[in-house]
Amino acid sequence: MKIRGVNLGNWLVLEKWMSPELYTGTTAEDETYFCMQLCENEKRARLKVHRDHYITSRDFAYLAEKGFNTVRIPVPFFVFEDIGPYVSCSEYLDKAMKWANQYGLKVLLDLHTVPGSQNGSDNAGICGIIQWANHPERVEIALSVLERLALRYGQDSALFGIEVLNEPMTTDGALAKTMEEAGVHILERYPAVDKEAAKLNEGYTNAWLEDFYRTAYARIRKYLPEDKAVVFDDAFDIHHFADWVAAQSDFKNVMLDTHQYIMVADWLNQCEPGIDSYVKYIQEHFVEEVSYGQSKVPTFCGEWSLFNEKGGMREKSAEERCIFYRILADAHKTAFEENCEGWFYWCYKTHLDDPDWDCWDIGKCIANQWMTF
């Protein structure tokens, strides 16, 4: 069975752009400063309302009815207990597993943040900071959370697997080299609030990440049955990590997650804006990447979207927008369904109303018939 999934982003791991109203009265651009700038009562009240209502059992029912079979749930490192200034959320994962069983969906639990951040972007909880790998106590927190996820949910029939870490950014990976050549710097895109703290940033290499992956696999497998997958993010370097995972003879039931965004090709000026060039890029670049991964280890695309950074959708008619997005959606789905194990769309929903950004919300994609099954 091919994976046909969606990410439940911005539920337990906040991303401001997806629900900006939640941040009203703050200057925060990430979850860390959201939690730091609000008083304790206000922070907990807002998080409770958000978590109670952003995803409910009705969303699981909707996804099952529309033909999805798996959800990928981003999980923070503070899922099991409050780690100041953050607020834990394991009770919501418990609900998600219950709802998944009720509606016949599988769940991939994805460790999306670690203390000190693995990539310096907003999706890792704090912008402009990469101070995780060089702090052994922070690495241990991540490993402990993975172990506890396996212990708590490993026997649950709805569990598909556990993903070790979302989008680690190594200093010597393929994307780092491409960005350097293009003059693009992730920490300029997501600037740190505390400039002094940012001076202590320290990256990590593919070799360091491999060691972490080995340790994480062993810690997870202590409690995770072999019929549940352990998933490794390719760190935007699919050729390297496909080869590496395939070489680990003691690994059982492992998969590779790769994220393929047309907006990144825009960002790095790797293709011209326009439907023909986008489809060509998907058919050549995306297909090559996932096919290579699949030739080494079972591979899926854990994140993709119809969004493109050139924008311009607001100037198009509803009919033009529908044609554009449907062609783009079909090209993505064909690439991932025919050449690897399937896909997860990013994301399920947003609290936005903007023609250039509506395509992030798969509910709107379906309602507008930009995406059909």
Side-chain angles (χ1 to χ4, degrees), residues 260 262 282 286 304-306 328-336:
Q260 302 288 343
I262 201 71
I282 292 165
F286 287 4
W304 67 277
S305 170
L306 297 178
L328 196 57
D330 287 345
H332 280 93
K333 290 190 297 176
T334 298
F336 304 140

Side-chain angles (χ1 to χ4, degrees), residues 129 131 192-201:
I129 298 295
Q131 297 173 16
V193 171
D194 189 336
K195 306 303 182 186
E196 289 301 311
K199 292 178 181 178
L200 300 176
N201 284 348

Side-chain angles (χ1 to χ4, degrees), residues 316-331:
K316 295 182 182 293
S317 68
E319 182 179 4
E320 289 173 325
R321 198 176 302 141
C322 185
I323 293 170
F324 181 96
Y325 281 143
R326 187 174 291 185
I327 293 171
L328 196 57
D330 287 345

Side-chain angles (χ1 to χ4, degrees), residues 4 26 87 161 172 190 194 202 233 238 268 325-326 329:
R4 180 174 286 172
T26 79
V87 180
D172 57 348
Y190 300 99
D194 189 336
E202 186 174 339
D233 189 295
I238 193 167
L268 298 175
Y325 281 143
R326 187 174 291 185

